[in-house]
Amino acid sequence: MFRKQETFTITEFLHRTEHKEQKRLVNNIDFFLQSLLKEVKTAKPKQKKKYKTLLLKTLSVSLSVLVYSTPVFAQTEQPTILPEVDSLLKTIQLICLGLVAAVATICLMLAGGLRIVGMGEKAKAWSKEIIKGLIQVISAPVLIWLIITVAKGLLSPLPGYQNF
């Protein structure tokens, strides 16, 4: 499962160089930038004018966003679920859980029929899998709610997560 990769002493780790993949990535980025610069330098005057206007528009939009941004822009309004939609979602969830219970009951009845016919081993395997699936489907919403509640409790003291 775990493969041993490289082992370093502290001094070797501190003095090591970048990995080969990182060097390749940096070389690719450098090549991309160099090719763009070469393209701009060797462009015709009409094309240079287009590049210049594109650069000026991009720069003006970027600067306007930076100049006009205020702390109010950083705070987003928390979306709220309408009560009608919330009750509809709860109803759908209850219907789905009821359908799962009904399908599981029917499948368990079929497994009982297999036992009657003489296929007891297959019926036992079916019964185990049906019960495991039923427990998983019924416990999933509770576990997800529990994970979300714990995450909210852990993250709420942090500065960026007051409204989480």
Side-chain angles (χ1 to χ4, degrees), residues 73-133:
F73 288 152
Q75 297 175 356
T76 58
E77 186 177 325
Q78 294 296 321
T80 57
I81 298 176
L82 297 173
E84 297 87 17
V85 175
D86 191 36
S87 66
L88 179 67
L89 290 175
K90 287 180 182 177
T91 305
I92 291 172
Q93 187 178 17
L94 286 174
I95 290 171
C96 289
L97 288 175
L99 286 174
V100 165
V103 169
T105 305
I106 292 170
C107 289
L108 284 172
M109 291 168 66
L110 289 174
L114 285 176
R115 281 197 183 115
I116 292 171
V117 175
M119 303 172 83
E121 292 301 318
K122 194 171 189 177
K124 285 181 185 176
W126 269 36
S127 298
K128 286 180 186 177
E129 293 299 319
I130 292 167
I131 292 172
K132 284 180 187 178

Side-chain angles (χ1 to χ4, degrees), residues 155-164:
L155 294 177
S156 61
L158 298 176
Y161 296 99
Q162 271 81 23
N163 296 326
F164 179 63

Side-chain angles (χ1 to χ4, degrees), residues 97 132-146:
L97 288 175
K132 284 180 187 178
L134 181 65
I135 291 172
Q136 180 181 356
V137 169
I138 291 175
S139 65
V142 176
L143 289 176
I144 290 172
W145 173 82
L146 186 66

